[in-house]
Amino acid sequence: MHAASLKRKRADRQAAIASALRTVATEQAGLAALSTALEDGLAEPFAQAVDALSRITGRVIVTGVGKSGHIGSKIAATLASTGTPAFFVHPVEANHGDLGMIAPDDAIIALSWSGESLELKGIIDYSRRFSIPLIGLTAGEKSALARAADVVLALPKAQEACPHGLAPTTSTLLQLAMGDALAIALLEARGFTPDHFRTFHPGGQLGANLTLISEIMRTGDQIPLVALGTKMPEAVMTLAQKKVGCVCVVDSDGKLAGIVTDGDLGRNLHRNLAETTVDSIMTRSPKTIEPSLMAGAAIALINKHNIGALVVVENGVPVGLVHFHDLLRIGAA
């Protein structure tokens, strides 16, 4: 490649990186302005919006057009997945029959950066006609949307990352951040737990990570157990039969005293294992987990300590074992 071409390629690369850094910096400034607003004039309207949304007996209807519509669709999905029933209604479709999807016990969040989107007029008028709570998410504090809304979440007029100030970039990020803030505030107000979250996320890796350890652990005869004082040949036989790479060692009360792993065995091959007991080579503080925890916690422990399995205990007694392969099987790892 010619020197001129290499120089041009380096210049193009540097320009692209500089552009990315400007975009991130501009959007960070927008988020900082939003944070400042939430500590000042936006605080009370935000609290009012959370209160209004938490009191309805129906669903949250999110609407918007263009890029605001795309953000609105995501906000509706986030609300629904975190315990606040919600769905997105396109304002144009609403004008052609979908207004019938909105009930008097619902609430509406309408997104429009300018607050003057003509497509929103039908759904705004409908909300006023039937006294449906309307929350306006807009930077136009004196716009048609703001004048009609019961609660106005006035976003700071931050600079777009687009150098021409045309493509919605920072503005849509602020809308998204405000939608996330509403969803999380409602989640916390409702006492939404990981168990509730799991109900709405049964599929994919996220659902797998929320699976309870008690649902996937090996139990009964599948647990490789030997007692303190067991000779190593017997322990090795148990290790080979159970095929989980470890043997749990229990005391006379049935409580976990230690664990012998493939690694422990390898590190002691220089010894006369035929005359050795598990007591002398076992790891006395094995990594354990409770059955009420979730698969994600098991993955974190396994990765942190670079081990292949965790002993599941209740009150110090081994009640199960979860192996890395068990986590792979459900798609959590």
Side-chain angles (χ1 to χ4, degrees):
M1 185 178 292
H2 296 299
S5 297
L6 283 172
K7 185 176 181 181
R8 185 167 57 252
K9 185 175 181 180
R10 283 196 295 269
D12 290 344
R13 178 177 178 275
Q14 290 170 351
I17 294 171
S19 174
L21 289 171
R22 284 195 303 272
T23 296
V24 172
T26 302
E27 295 193 342
Q28 282 179 330
L31 287 173
L34 179 60
S35 181
T36 299
L38 278 166
E39 293 174 346
D40 190 18
L42 188 51
E44 184 57 30
F46 182 82
Q48 291 174 358
V50 172
D51 180 61
L53 294 174
S54 63
R55 284 189 289 103
I56 64 169
T57 56
R59 300 149 302 174
V60 177
I61 311 301
V62 186
T63 189
V65 69
K67 301 300 185 294
S68 294
H70 293 306
I71 297 300
S73 183
K74 189 275 179 187
I75 291 173
T78 300
L79 287 166
S81 71
T82 52
T84 302
F87 64 89
F88 179 78
V89 173
H90 196 285
V92 175
E93 297 298 332
N95 291 336
H96 293 273
D98 282 2
L99 284 173
M101 300 171 69
I102 306 172
D105 56 355
D106 295 337
I108 298 171
I109 299 175
L111 284 71
S112 172
W113 186 250
S114 68
E116 300 292 351
S117 300
L118 294 177
E119 295 88 349
L120 290 174
K121 187 178 185 304
I123 205 165
I124 290 173
D125 290 346
Y126 186 82
S127 74
R128 304 302 79 191
R129 179 183 177 187
F130 293 100
S131 300
I132 298 170
L134 175 64
I135 297 168
L137 188 54
T138 178
E141 292 187 70
K142 297 181 180 180
S143 63
L145 173 58
R147 291 194 302 271
D150 297 297
V151 179
V152 180
L153 298 177
L155 300 174
K157 294 180 179 178
Q159 178 185 348
E160 298 285 15
C162 169
H164 309 298
L166 299 174
T169 45
T170 309
S171 58
T172 49
L173 178 63
L174 298 191
Q175 290 175 329
L176 181 62
M178 184 56 71
D180 286 344
L182 286 171
I184 300 306
L186 288 165
L187 174 155
E188 292 173 346
R190 295 177 190 276
F192 197 76
T193 67
D195 274 342
H196 296 133
F197 199 78
R198 180 181 172 222
T199 301
F200 298 121
H201 298 79
Q205 188 175 33
L206 180 56
N209 285 341
L210 294 170
T211 301
L212 295 175
I213 294 298
S214 60
E215 295 179 290
I216 60 171
M217 67 185 188
R218 304 178 187 213
T219 60
D221 291 340
Q222 294 178 305
I223 309 174
L225 290 176
V226 297
L228 280 170
T230 300
K231 291 289 184 68
M232 279 306 300
E234 182 182 341
V236 170
M237 185 173 296
T238 301
L239 189 150
Q241 290 173 341
K242 302 303 181 181
K243 299 179 181 179
V244 290
C246 64
V247 174
C248 303
V249 183
V250 295
D251 61 20
S252 57
D253 294 324
K255 293 193 173 183
L256 184 67
I259 191 171
V260 177
T261 67
D262 286 334
D264 294 324
L265 191 61
R267 286 186 289 273
N268 287 274
L269 286 177
H270 65 282
R271 303 172 63 177
N272 181 8
L273 294 180
E275 299 301 323
T276 305
T277 65
V278 292
D279 308 46
S280 62
I281 73 166
M282 70 182 184
T283 299
R284 294 184 177 273
S285 299
K287 305 306 176 188
T288 63
I289 195 167
E290 297 177 3
S292 60
L293 295 180
M294 296 185 177
I299 295 168
L301 281 171
I302 284 174
N303 288 336
K304 179 180 179 180
H305 299 289
N306 195 27
I307 55 179
L310 291 165
V311 185
V312 186
V313 296
E314 278 187 325
N315 298 319
V317 177
V319 295
L321 185 137
V322 60
H323 192 272
F324 181 67
H325 290 162
D326 301 324
L327 299 167
L328 283 175
R329 175 173 47 81
I330 66 168

